[in-house]
Amino acid sequence: MLAAFRALTRTQRPLTAVFPSLVTKLWQDGTRTQPRTLLRQFHASPIPSATLNQATRRKPRVKRRVVKSPLLQNNSQKKGVVTQLIIGKPKKPNSAKRKVARVKMSNGEVVQAYIPGERHTLQEHSVVMVRGGRAQDLPGVRYKIVRGALDAQAVVGRMSGRSKYGAKKPKKQ
């Protein structure tokens, strides 16, 4: 079809003679005139899109997932070095002193990471593992430090939810 259209347009006949349904208009291009096709010239509405029935029968569009921790670059965890320790204040209804560390990761990115659990022994130049997951009441903190890995020690005396804080199961007496 396209080859036939190109062959017909190379001829000397005007486009209106070849395709009478197309409305053509001449426009000046320096020294020569060329035909330009105008579809739906007298319509106020644009060319119609798919009907509701057609749209429901087609495959649904694949939604792209929003990456919530982009600086990990599709890794579950990344190693980094603590450059600064910060005490942050949470958003409006909450009140506390949240421990946050600024970490320079192995890929060169600098992030703010929340230190979960009570008490920590982290200081500047500590090597830590950073995972995704935001601190809900701290704006801009989208990462957490893994407790019980590298220099971040496990939470001492933790009995419930131990896996999140790197605590071992206490020995029975």
Side-chain angles (χ1 to χ4, degrees), residues 27-166:
W27 56 283
Q28 291 292 41
D29 184 11
T31 56
R32 62 182 200 272
T33 60
Q34 292 181 342
R36 185 176 71 180
T37 61
L38 295 175
L39 299 174
R40 299 176 61 86
Q41 186 180 20
F42 302 110
H43 287 268
S45 62
I47 296 173
S49 56
T51 64
L52 187 62
N53 190 26
Q54 289 167 339
T56 52
R57 279 188 297 162
R58 287 187 189 139
K59 279 186 188 173
R61 282 193 183 141
V62 179
K63 290 179 184 164
R64 290 188 66 201
R65 273 179 46 212
V66 177
V67 181
K68 296 198 176 172
S69 49
L71 299 179
L72 289 179
Q73 298 171 336
N74 291 330
N75 297 311
S76 56
Q77 299 164 345
K78 270 210 178 290
K79 191 162 76 167
V81 178
V82 176
T83 57
Q84 185 182 6
L85 289 166
I86 305 161
I87 294 177
K89 290 193 281 185
K91 285 200 288 192
K92 199 64 189 274
N94 295 343
S95 177
K97 292 178 180 175
R98 304 266 191 251
K99 290 9 173 228
V100 178
R102 180 169 281 130
V103 179
K104 182 168 186 174
M105 294 194 295
S106 58
N107 57 6
E109 302 285 355
V110 178
V111 298
Q112 283 192 342
Y114 176 66
I115 306 168
E118 298 174 357
R119 290 190 227 75
H120 68 86
T121 57
L122 293 178
Q123 51 192 347
E124 225 175 297
H125 309 300
S126 296
V127 180
V128 293
M129 193 71 84
V130 177
R131 68 175 172 91
R134 68 191 192 99
Q136 279 77 0
D137 57 2
L138 288 171
V141 179
R142 302 161 88 181
Y143 303 89
K144 287 183 179 173
I145 288 175
V146 179
R147 293 294 298 252
L150 304 176
D151 289 347
Q153 294 176 351
V155 177
V156 179
R158 183 84 192 187
M159 297 298 170
S160 61
R162 294 189 328 271
S163 63
K164 291 177 183 167
Y165 300 94

